[in-house]
Amino acid sequence: MPTLRTGKQICDRGLASSEKRAALDAVAARYAVALPPALADLIDQNDPHDPIARQFVPDAAELDHRPEELSDPIGDDAHSPVEGIVHRYPDRVLLKLTPICAVYCRFCFRREMVGPEKGKAMSAEALMHALDYIRSHRQIWEVILTGGDPLVLSARRLRAVMKQLAAIEHVKVLRIHTRVPVAEPARLTAELVRAIKVKGKPTYVALHINHPRELTQAARAACARMADAGLVLLGQSVLLAGVNDTPEVLGDLMRVLVECRIKPYYLHHGDLAPGTAHLRTDIATGQNLMRALRGRLSGLCQPTYVLDIPGGHGKSPIGPDYLARTGSNGAAHFVVEDFNGRRHRYPPTAGARGA
Ligand code: SF4
């Protein structure tokens, strides 16, 4: 079965009613659409609220743009000194090799930049300039390959880029951001895994996964091939209304990630990307979910809940606060909350527990 890219293909596959076809085509004319078989097969056609469909089947609500939404919500453009590079933080850069993804998420924070209409994979000349930029900035300790999705590129192309990056003495760590292991697990062949595992430089792979059902047997096998090869796996999830905004689903997701040797890293608050209001939660919901995870789930299963501050100001943790300072001068002390919501004075007063 081919990847679904049009309203007709999605309707013919039974993933939307034919009355919705015109709206689907209108969305597809505005934002890239691709739904590969591995994810289309996961959708329960009898469930109008299926969490996989919510993430990947276009919705007429995407044409509803809110005043607070931004075409470049995390401010990549403001920090791009040369084509393909985003240099926001001092010690690391993003390297965007391609605007193409294996699947187009309906909430994508780079939806105005990704897709076949948004450009081509980086040319050899642009890559040469991007590598020159990295070589000439000795403070760059980490290079993050993102996109689009770098793992849609051929093993040959990836091997060449990884080798050139690994040869830069001051670059100590390489990282790849991808959704390919869940969207097209068969692409993670032994050859592709060898291509991204360079000698002498640790390589981290951050996998974007939002619902436990995305980790099918094929996806788990793809992750296992990477972990067995010595790649370090991290989980990045986006908090999405109707997808993972309950303690049960979010907790299951974090546990399944850890079971697959993927350390939950970030839980992203939904960015202000255009036409995505129907998938965003509010921050209070995210904080309550993080409280629900704390203590109920192993520390291995705790991501950091973060907001990418609009305008390109970077990420800040926005999880619940467990610590408050109280009193003044010599009487100042802290009050810290445990996972049951009970509060304790720190340091405790002699002979007392709790506050
Ligand atoms: S895989 Fe990442 S870059 Fe591609 S559409 Fe999804 S969120 Fe956007």
Side-chain angles (χ1 to χ4, degrees):
M1 190 181 75
T3 292
L4 310 175
R5 297 182 188 276
T6 65
K8 178 175 182 339
Q9 289 169 339
I10 289 169
C11 293
D12 287 352
R13 179 75 165 70
L15 300 179
S17 63
S18 52
E19 301 88 70
K20 291 191 173 165
R21 182 173 157 191
L24 295 185
D25 283 334
V27 174
R30 182 74 183 78
Y31 301 113
V33 172
L35 181 45
L39 291 171
D41 287 349
L42 280 182
I43 294 173
D44 177 354
Q45 297 177 19
N46 298 316
D47 179 1
H49 307 294
D50 183 85
I52 309 300
R54 270 184 80 71
Q55 293 185 71
F56 306 120
V57 174
D59 189 311
E62 292 174 53
L63 299 172
D64 172 18
H65 292 174
R66 302 287 169 90
E68 67 274 22
E69 293 176 338
L70 304 162
S71 62
D72 179 16
I74 68 166
D76 279 356
D77 287 345
H79 296 279
S80 184
V82 297
E83 184 186 334
I85 293 277
V86 178
H87 197 174
R88 194 187 328 270
Y89 304 97
D91 73 338
R92 54 208 183 275
V93 290
L94 305 182
L95 175 57
K96 297 189 199 178
L97 295 173
T98 175
I100 303 299
C101 296
V103 61
Y104 293 103
C105 311
R106 306 322 308 161
F107 47 87
C108 176
F109 62 127
R110 293 200 177 107
R111 61 188 336 205
E112 300 282 9
M113 304 172 198
V114 298
E117 309 292 322
K118 307 289 171 165
K120 296 197 165 82
M122 211 176 200
S123 68
E125 193 186 354
L127 178 61
M128 188 181 76
H129 291 311
L131 292 170
D132 283 347
Y133 181 89
I134 297 169
R135 283 188 199 102
S136 63
H137 288 76
R138 296 190 58 78
Q139 73 271 34
I140 298 174
W141 173 84
E142 180 184 20
V143 177
I144 301 162
L145 273 58
T146 184
D149 194 320
L151 295 194
V152 302
L153 298 172
S154 69
R156 192 166 61 92
R157 182 104 205 270
L158 283 166
R159 185 179 304 111
V161 173
M162 295 297 280
K163 273 190 172 168
Q164 290 181 84
L165 290 171
I168 302 173
E169 208 266 327
H170 58 267
V171 172
K172 303 294 185 190
V173 172
L174 303 174
R175 192 190 332 166
I176 295 173
H177 284 187
T178 184
R179 215 156 175 18
V180 164
V182 295
E184 252 185 273
R187 278 194 72 80
L188 263 292
T189 58
E191 187 193 8
L192 195 89
V193 172
R194 276 197 301 275
I196 57 176
K197 176 74 180 74
V198 290
K199 282 209 178 87
K201 300 275 161 100
T203 302
Y204 289 71
V205 180
L207 299 113
H208 175 177
I209 303 173
N210 299 329
H211 192 278
R213 268 171 46 207
E214 291 171 47
L215 278 156
T216 59
Q217 287 308 315
R220 290 173 192 231
C223 294
R225 286 194 286 281
M226 291 190 285
D228 289 346
L231 296 161
V232 185
L233 307 185
L234 304 171
Q236 296 208 82
S237 305
V238 182
L239 179 59
L240 295 168
V243 174
N244 55 18
D245 59 342
T246 66
E248 293 74 24
V249 174
L250 197 62
D252 278 358
L253 171 63
M254 298 304 150
R255 280 190 167 150
V256 171
L257 289 172
V258 172
E259 289 163 20
C260 293
R261 291 182 274 172
I262 305 166
K263 170 70 186 91
Y265 175 42
Y266 281 147
L267 175 66
H268 295 271
H269 187 73
D271 292 305
L272 293 171
T276 61
H278 59 298
L279 289 166
R280 273 196 301 277
T281 66
D282 58 21
I283 287 177
T285 300
Q287 292 183 322
N288 287 337
L289 287 165
M290 291 303 298
R291 274 188 191 280
L293 297 191
R294 173 75 43 199
R296 286 182 54 247
L297 265 65
S298 158
L300 286 175
C301 300
Q302 309 288 333
T304 303
Y305 179 40
V306 291
L307 173 72
D308 238 307
I309 303 170
H313 304 288
K315 290 180 193 63
S316 280
I318 55 167
D321 216 345
Y322 295 96
L323 187 69
R325 192 182 168 89
T326 187
S328 59
N329 301 328
H333 62 274
F334 291 98
V335 174
V336 61
E337 189 180 319
D338 68 24
F339 70 96
N340 287 314
R342 288 189 295 253
R343 293 188 296 155
H344 308 267
R345 178 187 165 124
Y346 183 85
T349 46
R353 301 173 82 98

